Amino acid sequence: MKDITLIHSNSSTALCDLITQDIQVDAIITDPPYNINQAEWDNDFDLPKIIPLCKQILKPDGNFILFQGWSNVCETKKLLDQYFTCQDWIIYDRIKGRGGKKHLVSTREDILWYTNSDSYTFNKIPSTIKKKTGGLGLKNGCEFRALSNVWTDISPIVPWSKERVNHPTQKPVQLMKRCVELWTNEGDLVLDFTMGSGSTGVACKELGRRFIGIDNDEKYVSITKERLGVE
């Protein structure tokens, strides 16, 4: 398989094809629709059909990283608990949010970290927040705070972002690079079965990982091809 493989197809069909080819991946890092009725593309995504296929394609020591919204994350966690082992539940504060007239402004996104077993890749990296050491110097030889499971140090995509493309839920490359760096090693094969704007693929290319991206919208496959510089 090539270092970068982009597939225009629905998720379940493409995953079944990859399983038929005996493809196994080191990590799945993906941001599927949340089924919160924000737009036509965000409705009726059949995650219960997809998860068993992910179980088949993920290596025994693989990581499964799934983005979700607060309104459905508990239901999704119950589903994932049937197939994988939960290692952590991360909150990403994307700073900008929606709503606010009758509710608190929603700026959180949930990142569920699951594994196929108790043996998995994890590369400890620091946050980008500098320590306030009070004159004690650099503790543990690092000037940045340890990375926690609440991420407040990565800016979202805004209308004036240089990396912005025409996608409604585009994730910052910096965010996806953190995920790739934490849960994979150089040369690993990463799968994103709802790749959208291709930010996971960009992160993989920049960090020396191989990538399989799947999307059912030809427009976004084309956008990803352009971002990754592939035909």
Side-chain angles (χ1 to χ4, degrees), residues 6 195 220-231:
L6 304 181
M195 68 178 176
Y220 298 135
V221 175
S222 296
I223 287 174
T224 301
K225 285 181 178 179
E226 184 175 348
R227 295 185 79 189
L228 296 178
V230 299
E231 295 296 329

Side-chain angles (χ1 to χ4, degrees), residues 109-165:
E109 286 198 64
D110 299 76
I111 305 173
L112 299 175
W113 169 22
Y114 278 80
T115 60
N116 235 346
S117 69
D118 291 331
S119 176
Y120 51 85
T121 296
F122 176 69
N123 301 308
K124 188 174 181 180
I125 60 175
S127 71
T128 62
I129 302 172
K130 287 194 173 183
K131 292 177 179 176
K132 296 180 180 179
T133 58
L136 295 177
L138 297 181
K139 187 178 179 181
N140 299 329
C142 182
E143 63 178 316
F144 297 101
R145 290 174 54 185
L147 188 63
S148 74
N149 57 6
V150 179
W151 296 355
T152 62
D153 59 336
I154 296 179
S155 298
I157 298 293
V158 292
W160 53 89
S161 297
K162 291 182 179 180
E163 68 181 270
R164 185 173 183 265
V165 298

Side-chain angles (χ1 to χ4, degrees), residues 15-23:
L15 287 172
C16 287
D17 288 344
L18 291 170
I19 291 168
T20 300
Q21 299 172 51
D22 293 324
I23 302 297

Side-chain angles (χ1 to χ4, degrees), residues 7 9 17 23 31 40-41 43 67 78 82-83 86 101 104 118 130 146 152 172 180 187 215:
I7 303 170
S9 174
D17 288 344
I23 302 297
D31 178 27
E40 183 178 351
W41 55 265
N43 297 330
F67 284 71
K78 289 179 182 178
Q82 299 175 44
Y83 297 91
C86 185
K101 291 184 178 180
L104 298 173
D118 291 331
K130 287 194 173 183
T152 62
V180 170
D215 204 279

Side-chain angles (χ1 to χ4, degrees), residues 140-210:
N140 299 329
C142 182
E143 63 178 316
F144 297 101
R145 290 174 54 185
L147 188 63
S148 74
N149 57 6
V150 179
W151 296 355
T152 62
D153 59 336
I154 296 179
S155 298
I157 298 293
V158 292
W160 53 89
S161 297
K162 291 182 179 180
E163 68 181 270
R164 185 173 183 265
V165 298
N166 186 24
H167 191 279
T169 62
Q170 181 183 353
K171 293 295 183 289
V173 170
Q174 184 185 7
L175 175 63
M176 305 319 295
K177 286 179 72 172
R178 172 171 288 175
C179 293
V180 170
E181 190 172 2
L182 275 171
W183 293 301
T184 69
N185 295 317
E186 191 169 350
D188 279 356
L189 180 57
V190 178
L191 168 68
D192 185 346
F193 59 78
T194 53
M195 68 178 176
S197 63
S199 294
T200 305
V202 175
C204 287
K205 183 177 180 179
E206 292 185 6
L207 292 172
R209 276 66 165 174
R210 296 173 294 142

